[in-house]
Amino acid sequence: MSQQRVATLFCRAQLGLEAPLVQVEATVASGLPAFHLVGLAATVVRESRDRVQAALLSSGYEFPSGRIVVNLAPAEIPKAGGRFDLPIALGILIASGQLRQAAVRAAPTCELYGELGLGGEVKSVRGILLAAAHASRAGHVLIVPAANADEALIAANTPVLGVSHLEEVCRHLAGEQPLRACSRTSDRRPAQARCAGEPDVRDVKGQLQAKRALLIAAAGAHSLLMIGPPGCGKTMLAQRLPGLLPPLTEAEALDCAGIASVSAAGFNLGGFGRRPFRSPHHTASAVSVVGGGAQARPGEISLAHHGVLFLDELPEFDRRVLEALREPLEAGIVRIARAAAQTDYPAEFQLVAAMNPCPCGHLGDCAATCRCTPAEAQRYRERISGPLLDRLDMHVQVPRLESGDFAAVIGDGDSSAALAARVTATRSRQLDRQGRCNARLTDGQVERCCVLQPAARALLDRTMRQLRFSGRARQRILKLARTIADLEGRDAIADIHVGEAVMLRCLDRERATSSCR
Ligand SMILES: [Zn+2]
């Protein structure tokens, strides 16, 4: 047979959260045996040669003896991972005439993904959810590893066929044994019911002030720093923030799932539809927190998109990590520059941080004596730079409860469900007024939306003068006061709202008094 056959199959590459279509073309020409893989493929894709050869032979097919050329087009898109193995193997089978004509007709309407084992088994790959979302928009049927079928089904509106062996795909494409489309085993809408699993704020005994701060944080999407001795409940409080937030919309849930599907840990079906809560350890590297590495993967701040990023022991984090947080905190997006390409990941997270008041943790603690010198305590706090502190909306003290407090507390305040209902109502006021949460008001919007009553303006001016607050601190106070007034359903901000907002920024007052001395 002298006529050269070109087989064309489809797959997608992955660039950040994009999944551009890749055409996998294969030809087998007469000549000395050779296998060329062209089209800007990373090393792991080039290793595909050996896997495909072994998989074909062990599945009872021939590995063509001529000159095989596989082209991944367009060439300028970087391609990584083992996902191209399956279309490459099928391309070679079609080009060498080992699959029937039916396969050639079926191929253009589907996309194939999967890494091949040496025995021909189809192994799971990363990023299927994103690929499925794009394939679905193009109207393509998806042939994916069986282990990835549930993930694909979350985003796909076109049929999804899960396969576990190369032979199954061949029999399907040849029309011998068609595969059945997978069906959803779980509801893909993030329902209210899913939030029922979140821990309740009432599990935290007492701490009504900290719970009030948590409610305000939830209502206006404000960031929060809690300062208190070890064991006072800071982590428990932070873990209860997602339960106060409104349920994710379907679009938000898909955003989160898409980011997770391309992360190092991959997508976890059990977490689908839940508000992200990420708490990297203070020894975490900048790459794991912010994102990056050879594959430009998303970091913790992107995995916390639409959710909560909790940084416990904030001063212990590497300074570079903390400084790298500043820009995403403002912009809600992180840009990762690599030699091959530049990748943007969304990172609109709510920051909750916690710290001890001093290195030993017991400054101002009723139950233990602090062993630190004043200079040590000050140095510890100064590890958090002024610019980062300026970006935190609230700083509150979380004292240790004296043992008597437990008995004295009759109730522990409202349940998470009751607070969440107030948060939802307060958030809809903000969206109606300005289209975003109070924490994300622009400077122009602050002037327009934060209307102060005369007494409130007088209090704010006096506070600014006496405590010498920065302009940034003033903006934060206005936004916080806006949320506090919104929680009460008030349009104009009163002096009590400004007063509470000032109290919720204890480090401003501390900085003001230390500079007066
Ligand atoms: Zn101490």
Side-chain angles (χ1 to χ4, degrees):
M1 194 173 67
S2 61
Q3 196 193 358
Q4 190 174 321
R5 204 195 308 246
V6 179
T8 304
L9 294 113
F10 295 99
C11 189
R12 281 174 194 274
Q14 184 223 313
L15 289 177
L17 295 181
E18 292 298 311
L21 192 68
V22 170
Q23 203 168 320
V24 180
E25 297 170 318
T27 64
V28 182
S30 51
L32 288 173
F35 187 170
H36 298 286
L37 185 57
V38 295
L40 194 64
T43 318
V44 59
V45 180
R46 290 198 292 270
E47 287 167 358
S48 178
R49 266 186 300 221
D50 304 324
R51 291 193 299 266
V52 166
Q53 182 169 17
L56 288 178
L57 292 174
S58 57
S59 305
Y61 294 101
E62 261 174 43
F63 192 73
S65 59
R67 185 171 176 271
I68 303 166
V69 178
V70 173
N71 179 32
L72 306 179
E76 66 270 18
I77 299 174
K79 303 163 192 80
R83 57 166 65 187
F84 300 101
D85 287 5
L86 187 58
I88 290 172
L90 288 160
I92 292 171
L93 287 178
I94 294 173
S96 60
Q98 296 185 75
L99 270 187
R100 286 226 230 113
Q101 201 59 31
V104 185
R105 284 198 298 273
T109 58
C110 67
E111 293 182 22
L112 301 113
Y113 298 84
E115 179 174 325
L116 289 174
L118 302 185
E121 61 276 22
V122 180
K123 296 179 180 175
S124 67
V125 296
R126 225 187 288 275
I128 281 294
L129 191 137
L130 279 177
H134 286 82
S136 190
R137 258 173 254 157
H140 289 160
V141 172
L142 280 143
I143 298 182
V144 300
N148 290 127
D150 280 339
E151 183 182 334
L153 282 167
I154 281 184
N157 293 313
T158 46
V160 172
L161 311 176
V163 293
S164 34
H165 199 279
L166 174 62
E167 275 182 274
E168 288 172 38
V169 191
C170 295
R171 284 201 295 267
H172 170 76
L173 285 178
E176 289 164 10
Q177 197 177 344
L179 292 162
R180 284 237 307 274
C182 305
S183 55
R184 284 195 187 107
T185 50
S186 65
D187 187 357
R188 71 168 168 178
R189 278 165 312 170
Q192 196 94 35
R194 288 178 190 277
C195 303
E198 300 290 348
D200 200 295
V201 280
R202 289 175 106 173
D203 304 341
V204 183
K205 298 290 162 208
Q207 301 294 12
L208 296 185
Q209 269 180 318
K211 288 179 189 173
R212 170 79 180 161
L214 209 58
L215 169 67
I216 294 166
H222 298 288
S223 49
L224 168 66
L225 169 64
M226 293 181 279
I227 306 156
C232 68
K234 292 169 293 187
T235 303
M236 277 183 84
L237 284 160
Q239 285 165 340
R240 278 144 184 82
L241 180 55
L244 302 186
L245 300 171
L248 290 178
T249 64
E250 186 175 339
E252 286 172 336
L254 282 175
D255 287 349
C256 296
I259 296 167
S261 88
V262 300
S263 71
F267 172 73
N268 165 20
L269 192 64
F272 180 67
R274 287 184 67 174
R275 284 263 174 205
F277 180 86
R278 306 292 304 188
S279 53
H281 191 255
H282 61 75
T283 54
S285 67
V287 164
S288 73
V289 175
V290 181
Q295 307 283 333
R297 292 208 194 287
E300 292 289 337
I301 62 171
S302 295
L303 290 165
H305 183 55
H306 294 315
V308 177
L309 179 73
F310 176 52
L311 302 181
D312 197 7
E313 309 207 34
L314 189 67
E316 304 289 342
F317 276 82
D318 188 329
R319 186 104 188 188
R320 283 166 299 181
V321 172
L322 296 183
E323 295 308 303
L325 288 178
R326 278 162 49 185
E327 200 171 312
L329 264 174
E330 297 283 300
I333 196 165
V334 60
R335 174 154 294 179
I336 298 163
R338 296 247 70 81
Q342 176 176 291
T343 310
D344 286 347
Y345 286 111
E348 224 171 82
F349 57 90
Q350 195 169 349
L351 178 63
V352 178
M355 64 185 280
N356 294 335
C358 65
C360 83
H362 297 294
L363 186 66
D365 190 349
C366 54
T369 314
C370 172
R371 297 181 305 272
C372 314
T373 66
E376 280 170 344
Q378 176 141 9
R379 264 204 307 283
Y380 182 72
R381 293 190 182 211
E382 281 171 358
R383 281 198 219 162
I384 304 160
S385 71
L388 178 62
L389 210 53
D390 276 340
R391 283 167 176 80
L392 289 163
D393 294 333
M394 286 184 267
H395 349 112
V396 297
Q397 305 274 3
V398 185
R400 184 193 303 282
L401 292 181
E402 291 185 55
S403 51
D405 288 355
F406 288 102
V409 170
I410 298 163
D412 289 306
D414 291 322
S415 67
S416 282
L419 294 179
R422 288 183 71 190
V423 167
T424 302
T426 310
R427 284 205 171 196
S428 62
R429 273 179 72 87
Q430 298 164 51
L431 292 180
D432 289 347
R433 184 177 57 228
Q434 69 228 9
R436 56 179 70 189
C437 285
N438 289 337
R440 301 205 175 274
L441 285 172
T442 62
D443 289 353
Q445 282 179 316
V446 169
E447 295 308 316
R448 195 157 43 78
C449 301
C450 303
V451 181
L452 295 162
Q453 288 179 352
R457 179 166 297 281
L459 174 62
L460 182 61
D461 290 346
R462 206 163 56 240
T463 311
M464 295 291 297
R465 233 182 7 255
Q466 288 176 356
L467 298 180
R468 286 187 258 163
F469 282 0
S470 67
R472 270 187 193 277
R474 183 180 188 274
Q475 294 294 90
R476 303 276 160 197
I477 290 168
L478 280 170
K479 292 178 192 181
L480 272 179
R482 177 68 274 168
T483 299
I484 296 165
D486 282 332
L487 272 167
E488 290 181 7
R490 301 297 166 89
D491 287 330
I493 298 170
D495 51 355
I496 48 165
H497 306 139
V498 169
E500 185 175 6
V502 171
M503 295 310 288
L504 288 168
R505 293 183 56 87
C506 68
L507 293 182
D508 283 341
R509 282 175 279 133
E510 187 176 280
R511 278 202 279 182
T513 44
S514 68
S515 65
C516 289
R517 267 184 217 132

